[in-house]
Amino acid sequence: MFPLRVRIMVDKALVDKIKQLKQRRNAVILAHYYQRPEIQDIADFVGDSLELARKAAGTGADVIVFCGVHFMAETAAILSPDKTVVLPVLTAGCPMADMVTAEALRARKAALPGFEVVTYVNTSAEVKAESDICCTSANAVKVLKSLPLGQDVLFVPDRNLARYAAQQAGRDVTSWPGYCPVHDQLRVEDIDLCLEKHPQAKVLVHPECRPEVIALADAVASTSGMLRYARESDAREFIVATEEGLIHQLRKQCPGKEFYPASDKLICENMKLTTLDALARSLEELAPAVTVPPTVRERALRAVERMLSFV
Ligand code: 13P
Ligand code: SF4
């Protein structure tokens, strides 16, 4: 569907136009590691969910163009309400974030009095507003460890991350039955097949994957954690069990090392909706803008700010 591994010819005139528009608008372009290579290459900053939230909170630009999915732009709008936050394609959503609504979470909280609600950043602003603290895959273990021993926890919405982080933190958590459709479809057989072809390769697995896939990992890490591991490792070959966009960045940052996608199914279609054309249009029109109503924002901000206090 998406010719992602075919190197596309980047339109130089379009790239120049984006650069000019960016200056004219005093804009910063933030891109997630799952974005198309040409989007990663034109961004001012490429990062994981936590790093991008920090950049959005600290930028001096007037406009934040978020090349990612809707919850990421919303998090930027929660953190920087005075900036214009633009998501080049408004329909770029996250199916996992859609697996929990504020209404459903309120009902679950009513049934679980005294529970601390730990919410993955991959959720809507309304869901964050119902939460005590947010986390990303990069700091979920630290967030859980920070809670008092014996504290009951509801972890929303990723059941796979919940299980992995709880195990690492030595805590029991009750998890929401959500999952990332991209990572959750990966199977043990996919990894076995890759290891048959590349027996020396280290296996890097994102914690959004199923427990039986995580069990095969040499390293379980967020996208930024995988980059760090690959840079610092003496190994020359790696099987990468996360969305395939990260491979562009791994190859850029680790020349001379080989990276193999764990499966050709690991493509987040929502992340691939952002194209250079859409990016140029969004800078020209300063639209679609993403905003969060002040009453929701104030409550969501508490949970997001608590998240940012963890490295
Ligand atoms: P990280 O970049 O935080 O590892 O996030 C993975 C993800 O699925 C983002 O949508
Ligand atoms: Fe959502 Fe998964 Fe896509 Fe990330 S990779 S945006 S969690 S569907």
Side-chain angles (χ1 to χ4, degrees):
M1 190 184 327
F2 298 100
L4 298 169
R5 293 199 189 92
V6 180
R7 208 74 185 103
I8 67 153
M9 292 295 292
V10 175
D11 179 344
K12 172 132 184 356
L14 187 54
V15 168
D16 289 344
K17 181 178 168 183
I18 290 168
K19 287 181 179 162
Q20 281 163 13
L21 281 165
K22 195 182 74 167
Q23 271 202 322
R24 181 149 37 99
R25 298 298 197 186
N26 188 25
V28 63
I29 301 176
L30 305 182
H32 191 268
Y33 291 127
Y34 296 164
Q35 291 286 295
R36 292 168 179 268
E38 63 275 21
I39 296 291
Q40 294 189 35
D41 290 346
I42 204 169
D44 295 299
F45 185 78
V46 191
D48 71 1
S49 310
L50 187 61
E51 293 166 338
L52 293 172
R54 283 194 206 291
K55 282 283 167 195
T59 181
D62 296 320
V63 175
I64 299 171
V65 183
F66 218 116
C67 299
V69 292
H70 194 267
F71 76 80
M72 294 180 172
E74 259 192 348
T75 306
I78 290 167
L79 287 163
S80 295
D82 303 332
K83 317 248 178 239
T84 302
V85 179
V86 173
L87 181 68
V89 181
L90 197 56
T91 52
C94 168
M96 169 157 61
D98 295 341
M99 291 177 190
V100 54
T101 62
E103 197 186 359
L105 179 53
R106 274 194 295 273
R108 192 85 179 105
K109 276 167 56 178
L112 297 172
F115 275 60
E116 185 90 349
V117 180
V118 178
T119 294
Y120 196 21
V121 75
N122 297 37
T123 44
S124 68
E126 286 82 5
V127 166
K128 290 183 176 78
E130 294 295 332
S131 308
D132 295 302
I133 183 165
C134 289
C135 68
T136 73
S137 58
N139 65 8
V141 176
K142 283 186 187 157
V143 167
L144 286 183
K145 276 188 175 166
S146 76
L147 302 176
L149 274 173
Q151 169 67 55
D152 290 320
V153 174
L154 174 62
F155 193 104
V156 181
D158 187 352
R159 63 181 181 206
N160 292 333
L161 178 63
R163 183 174 160 143
Y164 171 73
Q167 233 167 30
Q168 295 298 305
R171 304 296 167 98
D172 282 330
V173 307
T174 299
S175 59
W176 197 268
Y179 58 91
C180 163
V182 178
H183 289 87
D184 193 72
Q185 66 186 323
L186 196 66
R187 294 291 179 270
V188 165
E189 301 80 74
D190 296 313
I191 306 283
D192 286 346
L193 205 65
C194 282
L195 279 169
E196 263 172 43
K197 289 187 207 149
H198 311 290
Q200 303 303 324
K202 296 284 183 200
V203 180
L204 312 181
V205 178
H206 196 278
E208 287 175 15
C209 291
R210 289 177 173 223
E212 60 271 24
V213 173
I214 287 181
L216 301 177
D218 290 296
V220 183
S222 67
T223 48
S224 56
M226 287 186 186
L227 275 161
R228 202 175 318 115
Y229 183 94
R231 278 195 308 264
E232 292 170 3
S233 169
D234 292 334
R236 309 306 301 166
E237 294 180 285
F238 303 85
I239 292 163
V240 183
T242 194
E243 209 278 346
E244 64 97 62
L246 183 68
I247 289 185
H248 176 64
Q249 207 54 227
L250 284 162
R251 288 183 179 145
K252 263 178 106 164
Q253 294 192 21
C254 308
K257 295 187 178 180
E258 296 293 334
F259 298 95
Y260 314 111
S263 153
D264 57 12
K265 298 175 288 198
L266 288 169
I267 296 174
C268 177
E269 295 180 10
N270 283 280
M271 283 284 185
K272 305 310 185 199
L273 289 173
T274 315
T275 58
L276 287 177
D277 277 319
L279 174 54
R281 205 175 325 113
S282 69
L283 273 163
E284 212 154 33
E285 298 171 2
L286 290 188
V290 172
T291 55
V292 177
T295 48
V296 175
R297 182 192 162 259
E298 276 159 30
R299 290 186 302 134
L301 183 62
R302 279 200 298 269
V304 173
E305 279 184 333
R306 278 185 78 190
M307 167 184 94
L308 292 182
S309 67
F310 292 88
V311 184

